[in-house]
Amino acid sequence: DGGITQSPKYLFRKEGQNVTLSCEQNLNHDAMYWYRQDPGQGLRLIYYSQIVNDFQKGDIAEGYSVSREKKESFPLTVTSAQKNPTAFYLCASSRQPGWTEAFFGQGTRLTVV
Amino acid sequence: GQQVMQIPQYQHVQEGEDFTTYCNSSTTLSNIQWYKQRPGGHPVFLIQLVKSGEVKKQKRLTFQFGEAKKNSSLHITATQTTDVGTYFCGVQGAQKLVFGQGTRLTINP
């Protein structure tokens, strides 16, 4: 089955620790995105990538980092510099950035204590 | 960057009533997409509109793209409890996909 997979579904970390969220897709999509969703809030763009080895900051990139070494993978690291990291993180991919439908993963709910 | 405003933020209706959410942009859009996120779930693509004045229907859902391609609406006729969720519009801006704030729909059965 083709799709986009995020892991883990729930993640707990202590304050001050970096944590990496996994996102893998087997849809052969060029574009991948990371969004953050807070309770009752919309989807805010963290980082996006249009092609392998290239990525751009979104609207709320501070405190986050990404890599795109493989077409299938776009991991997100939440660093200790992120002031309010507790949130629901969604990864998405699309064949063409913004022109075709985006497929979302199931999301990772990160709780920092 | 490309921004789109979505209203209302919340809408509570009685089952059987109609529901509409609107997306507005200050600039002309190349296209607009609509997604639905069920409670506890992830956004799922509903439809994409590309042409000026375009109207598309999916059963009880009607999607419209404004003549000036600066606004769009999603209308649900005779809501059912299965329509509960948050509806987002998504637009392309500088090769990225950004979303409106979403409209959360709750329904009283």
Side-chain angles (χ1 to χ4, degrees), chain B residues 45-93:
Chain B
F45 175 82
L46 294 175
I47 208 161
Q48 177 169 276
L49 304 174
V50 179
K51 298 177 182 177
S52 168
E54 189 169 14
V55 178
K56 287 188 176 180
K57 292 189 176 184
Q58 291 179 349
K59 297 184 180 178
R60 294 177 295 103
L61 277 62
T62 301
F63 304 85
Q64 291 189 332
F65 203 7
E67 292 290 341
K69 299 181 73 173
K70 289 186 176 181
N71 54 70
S72 181
S73 65
L74 158 58
H75 179 81
I76 302 178
T77 303
T79 55
Q80 299 176 359
T81 55
T82 53
D83 296 324
V84 164
T86 301
Y87 294 84
F88 292 98
C89 59
V91 300
Q92 181 203 35

Coordinates of all heavy atoms in Angstrom, one line a residue, chain B residues 45-93:
Chain B
F45 N -7.8 15.1 1.9 CA -8.2 15.9 0.8 C -9.6 15.7 0.3 O -10.0 14.5 0.2 CB -7.2 15.6 -0.4 CG -7.5 16.3 -1.7 CD1 -7.0 17.6 -1.9 CD2 -8.1 15.6 -2.7 CE1 -7.3 18.2 -3.1 CE2 -8.4 16.2 -3.9 CZ -7.9 17.5 -4.1
L46 N -10.3 16.8 0.0 CA -11.7 16.7 -0.5 C -11.7 17.0 -2.0 O -12.3 16.2 -2.8 CB -12.6 17.6 0.3 CG -12.8 17.3 1.8 CD1 -13.7 18.4 2.4 CD2 -13.5 16.0 1.9
I47 N -11.1 18.2 -2.3 CA -11.3 18.6 -3.7 C -10.3 19.8 -4.0 O -9.8 20.4 -3.1 CB -12.7 19.1 -4.0 CG1 -13.1 18.9 -5.4 CG2 -12.9 20.6 -3.5 CD1 -14.6 19.0 -5.6
Q48 N -10.1 20.0 -5.3 CA -9.3 21.1 -5.7 C -10.1 21.9 -6.8 O -10.7 21.3 -7.7 CB -7.9 20.6 -6.3 CG -7.1 21.8 -6.9 CD -5.7 21.4 -7.3 OE1 -4.8 21.3 -6.4 NE2 -5.5 21.1 -8.5
L49 N -10.0 23.2 -6.6 CA -10.7 24.1 -7.6 C -9.6 24.9 -8.3 O -8.7 25.4 -7.7 CB -11.7 25.0 -6.9 CG -12.7 24.4 -6.1 CD1 -13.5 25.4 -5.3 CD2 -13.7 23.5 -6.9
V50 N -9.7 25.1 -9.6 CA -8.7 25.7 -10.4 C -9.3 26.9 -11.2 O -8.6 27.9 -11.4 CB -8.0 24.7 -11.3 CG1 -6.9 25.4 -12.2 CG2 -7.4 23.6 -10.5
K51 N -10.5 26.7 -11.8 CA -11.0 27.7 -12.7 C -11.8 28.8 -12.0 O -12.5 28.5 -11.1 CB -11.9 27.0 -13.7 CG -11.1 26.0 -14.6 CD -12.0 25.2 -15.5 CE -11.3 24.2 -16.3 NZ -12.3 23.4 -17.2
S52 N -11.8 30.0 -12.6 CA -12.6 31.1 -12.1 C -14.1 30.7 -12.2 O -14.5 30.2 -13.2 CB -12.3 32.3 -13.0 OG -13.3 33.3 -12.7
G53 N -14.8 30.9 -11.0 CA -16.2 30.6 -11.0 C -16.6 29.2 -10.9 O -17.8 28.8 -11.0
E54 N -15.6 28.3 -10.7 CA -15.9 26.9 -10.7 C -16.7 26.5 -9.6 O -16.6 27.0 -8.5 CB -14.5 26.1 -10.7 CG -14.6 24.7 -10.9 CD -13.2 24.0 -11.1 OE1 -12.2 24.7 -10.8 OE2 -13.2 22.9 -11.5
V55 N -17.7 25.6 -9.9 CA -18.5 25.0 -8.8 C -18.4 23.5 -9.0 O -18.6 22.9 -10.1 CB -20.0 25.4 -9.0 CG1 -20.8 24.8 -7.9 CG2 -20.1 26.9 -8.9
K56 N -18.1 22.8 -7.9 CA -18.1 21.3 -7.9 C -19.0 20.8 -6.7 O -19.0 21.4 -5.7 CB -16.7 20.8 -7.7 CG -15.8 21.0 -9.0 CD -14.5 20.3 -8.8 CE -13.6 20.4 -10.1 NZ -12.3 19.7 -10.0
K57 N -19.6 19.7 -7.0 CA -20.4 19.1 -5.9 C -19.9 17.6 -5.6 O -19.6 16.9 -6.5 CB -21.9 19.1 -6.4 CG -22.5 20.4 -6.5 CD -24.0 20.4 -6.7 CE -24.6 21.8 -6.7 NZ -26.1 21.7 -6.8
Q58 N -20.0 17.3 -4.3 CA -19.8 16.0 -3.9 C -20.9 15.6 -2.9 O -20.9 16.0 -1.8 CB -18.5 15.8 -3.1 CG -17.2 16.0 -4.0 CD -15.9 15.8 -3.2 OE1 -16.0 15.8 -1.9 NE2 -14.8 15.8 -3.9
K59 N -22.0 15.0 -3.5 CA -23.1 14.6 -2.7 C -23.7 15.9 -2.0 O -24.2 16.8 -2.7 CB -22.8 13.6 -1.6 CG -22.3 12.2 -2.3 CD -22.1 11.2 -1.2 CE -21.6 9.9 -1.9 NZ -21.3 8.8 -0.9
R60 N -23.6 16.0 -0.7 CA -24.2 17.2 0.0 C -23.2 18.4 0.1 O -23.6 19.4 0.6 CB -24.7 16.8 1.4 CG -25.8 15.8 1.4 CD -26.2 15.4 2.8 NE -25.1 14.6 3.5 CZ -24.3 15.1 4.3 NH1 -24.4 16.4 4.7 NH2 -23.3 14.4 4.9
L61 N -22.0 18.2 -0.4 CA -21.0 19.3 -0.3 C -20.9 20.0 -1.7 O -20.8 19.4 -2.7 CB -19.7 18.7 0.0 CG -19.3 18.4 1.5 CD1 -20.3 17.3 2.1 CD2 -17.9 17.9 1.6
T62 N -20.9 21.3 -1.6 CA -20.8 22.2 -2.8 C -19.6 23.1 -2.6 O -19.6 23.8 -1.6 CB -22.1 23.0 -3.1 OG1 -23.2 22.1 -3.2 CG2 -21.9 23.9 -4.3
F63 N -18.7 23.1 -3.5 CA -17.5 23.9 -3.4 C -17.5 25.0 -4.6 O -17.9 24.6 -5.7 CB -16.2 23.0 -3.6 CG -16.1 21.9 -2.7 CD1 -16.8 20.7 -2.9 CD2 -15.4 22.0 -1.5 CE1 -16.7 19.6 -2.1 CE2 -15.2 21.0 -0.6 CZ -15.9 19.8 -0.9
Q64 N -17.2 26.2 -4.2 CA -17.2 27.3 -5.2 C -15.9 28.0 -5.1 O -15.3 28.2 -4.1 CB -18.3 28.3 -4.9 CG -19.7 27.7 -5.1 CD -20.8 28.8 -5.1 OE1 -20.6 29.7 -4.4 NE2 -21.9 28.5 -5.8
F65 N -15.4 28.5 -6.3 CA -14.3 29.3 -6.5 C -14.7 30.6 -7.1 O -15.4 30.6 -8.1 CB -13.2 28.6 -7.4 CG -11.8 29.1 -7.2 CD1 -11.4 29.9 -6.2 CD2 -10.8 28.6 -8.1 CE1 -10.1 30.3 -6.0 CE2 -9.5 29.0 -7.9 CZ -9.2 29.9 -6.9
G66 N -14.4 31.7 -6.4 CA -14.9 33.0 -6.9 C -14.4 33.4 -8.3 O -13.4 32.9 -8.8
E67 N -15.2 34.3 -8.8 CA -14.9 34.8 -10.2 C -13.5 35.4 -10.3 O -12.8 35.2 -11.3 CB -15.9 35.8 -10.7 CG -17.3 35.2 -10.9 CD -17.4 34.3 -12.1 OE1 -16.5 34.3 -13.0 OE2 -18.3 33.5 -12.2
A68 N -13.1 36.1 -9.2 CA -11.8 36.8 -9.2 C -10.7 35.9 -8.7 O -9.6 36.3 -8.6 CB -11.9 38.0 -8.3
K69 N -11.1 34.6 -8.3 CA -10.1 33.7 -7.8 C -9.5 34.2 -6.5 O -8.3 33.9 -6.3 CB -9.1 33.2 -8.8 CG -9.8 32.5 -10.0 CD -8.7 32.1 -11.0 CE -8.0 30.9 -10.6 NZ -7.1 30.3 -11.6
K70 N -10.2 34.9 -5.7 CA -9.7 35.4 -4.4 C -10.5 34.8 -3.2 O -10.1 35.1 -2.1 CB -9.8 36.9 -4.4 CG -8.8 37.6 -5.3 CD -8.8 39.1 -5.1 CE -7.8 39.8 -5.9 NZ -7.8 41.3 -5.7
N71 N -11.5 34.1 -3.5 CA -12.3 33.5 -2.4 C -12.9 32.2 -2.8 O -13.1 31.9 -4.0 CB -13.3 34.5 -1.9 CG -14.2 34.9 -3.0 OD1 -15.0 34.2 -3.5 ND2 -14.1 36.2 -3.4
S72 N -13.3 31.4 -1.8 CA -13.9 30.1 -2.1 C -14.8 29.8 -0.9 O -14.6 30.3 0.2 CB -12.8 29.1 -2.2 OG -13.3 27.8 -2.5
S73 N -15.7 28.9 -1.2 CA -16.6 28.5 -0.1 C -16.9 27.0 -0.2 O -16.8 26.4 -1.3 CB -17.9 29.3 -0.1 OG -18.6 29.0 -1.3
L74 N -17.2 26.4 1.0 CA -17.6 25.0 1.1 C -19.0 25.1 1.8 O -19.1 25.6 2.9 CB -16.6 24.2 1.9 CG -17.1 22.9 2.5 CD1 -17.7 22.0 1.5 CD2 -16.0 22.3 3.3
H75 N -20.0 24.5 1.1 CA -21.3 24.5 1.7 C -21.8 23.1 1.9 O -21.7 22.3 0.9 CB -22.3 25.3 0.8 CG -23.7 25.3 1.2 ND1 -24.2 26.2 2.2 CD2 -24.8 24.5 0.9 CE1 -25.5 25.9 2.4 NE2 -25.8 24.9 1.7
I76 N -22.3 22.8 3.0 CA -22.8 21.4 3.3 C -24.3 21.6 3.5 O -24.8 22.3 4.4 CB -22.2 20.8 4.5 CG1 -20.7 20.7 4.4 CG2 -22.8 19.4 4.7 CD1 -20.0 20.0 5.6
T77 N -25.1 20.9 2.7 CA -26.6 20.9 2.8 C -27.0 19.8 3.8 O -26.5 18.6 3.7 CB -27.2 20.6 1.5 OG1 -26.7 21.6 0.6 CG2 -28.7 20.7 1.5
A78 N -27.9 20.1 4.7 CA -28.5 19.2 5.6 C -27.4 18.3 6.3 O -27.3 17.1 6.1 CB -29.5 18.3 4.9
T79 N -26.7 19.0 7.2 CA -25.6 18.3 7.9 C -26.0 17.0 8.6 O -27.2 16.9 9.1 CB -25.0 19.3 8.9 OG1 -26.0 19.7 9.8 CG2 -24.3 20.4 8.3
Q80 N -25.1 16.1 8.6 CA -25.2 14.9 9.4 C -24.1 14.8 10.4 O -23.1 15.4 10.3 CB -25.2 13.7 8.4 CG -26.3 13.7 7.4 CD -26.2 12.6 6.3 OE1 -25.2 11.8 6.4 NE2 -27.1 12.6 5.4
T81 N -24.3 13.9 11.4 CA -23.2 13.8 12.4 C -21.9 13.4 11.9 O -20.8 13.7 12.4 CB -23.7 12.8 13.5 OG1 -24.0 11.6 12.9 CG2 -24.9 13.4 14.3
T82 N -21.9 12.7 10.7 CA -20.6 12.3 10.1 C -19.9 13.5 9.5 O -18.7 13.4 9.1 CB -20.9 11.3 9.0 OG1 -21.8 11.9 8.1 CG2 -21.4 10.0 9.5
D83 N -20.5 14.7 9.5 CA -19.8 15.9 8.9 C -19.0 16.6 10.0 O -18.2 17.5 9.6 CB -20.9 16.9 8.4 CG -21.6 16.3 7.2 OD1 -21.0 15.6 6.4 OD2 -22.8 16.6 7.1
V84 N -19.1 16.1 11.2 CA -18.3 16.8 12.3 C -16.8 16.7 12.0 O -16.3 15.7 11.5 CB -18.5 16.0 13.6 CG1 -17.5 16.4 14.7 CG2 -19.9 16.4 14.1
G85 N -16.1 17.8 12.2 CA -14.7 17.9 12.0 C -14.3 19.3 11.7 O -15.1 20.3 11.9
T86 N -13.0 19.5 11.3 CA -12.5 20.8 11.0 C -12.2 20.8 9.5 O -11.6 19.9 9.0 CB -11.2 21.1 11.8 OG1 -11.5 21.1 13.2 CG2 -10.7 22.5 11.4
Y87 N -12.7 21.9 8.8 CA -12.5 22.0 7.4 C -11.5 23.1 7.1 O -11.6 24.2 7.6 CB -13.9 22.3 6.7 CG -14.9 21.2 6.8 CD1 -15.6 21.0 8.0 CD2 -15.0 20.3 5.8 CE1 -16.5 20.0 8.1 CE2 -15.9 19.2 5.9 CZ -16.6 19.1 7.1 OH -17.5 18.0 7.2
F88 N -10.5 22.7 6.3 CA -9.4 23.6 6.0 C -9.4 23.9 4.5 O -9.6 23.0 3.7 CB -8.1 23.0 6.3 CG -7.8 22.8 7.8 CD1 -8.0 21.6 8.4 CD2 -7.3 23.9 8.5 CE1 -7.8 21.4 9.7 CE2 -7.0 23.7 9.9 CZ -7.3 22.5 10.5
C89 N -9.1 25.2 4.1 CA -8.7 25.5 2.8 C -7.2 25.6 2.7 O -6.6 26.0 3.6 CB -9.4 26.7 2.3 SG -9.0 28.2 3.2
G90 N -6.7 25.1 1.6 CA -5.2 25.2 1.3 C -4.9 25.9 0.0 O -5.6 25.6 -1.0
V91 N -3.9 26.7 0.0 CA -3.5 27.4 -1.2 C -2.1 27.3 -1.4 O -1.3 27.1 -0.5 CB -4.0 28.9 -1.1 CG1 -5.4 29.1 -0.9 CG2 -3.2 29.6 0.0
Q92 N -1.7 27.4 -2.7 CA -0.4 27.4 -3.1 C 0.3 28.8 -3.0 O -0.4 29.7 -3.4 CB -0.2 26.9 -4.5 CG 1.2 26.8 -5.0 CD 1.3 26.9 -6.5 OE1 0.6 27.6 -7.2 NE2 2.3 26.1 -7.0
G93 N 1.4 28.8 -2.4 CA 2.2 30.1 -2.4 C 3.7 29.8 -2.4 O 4.2 29.2 -1.6

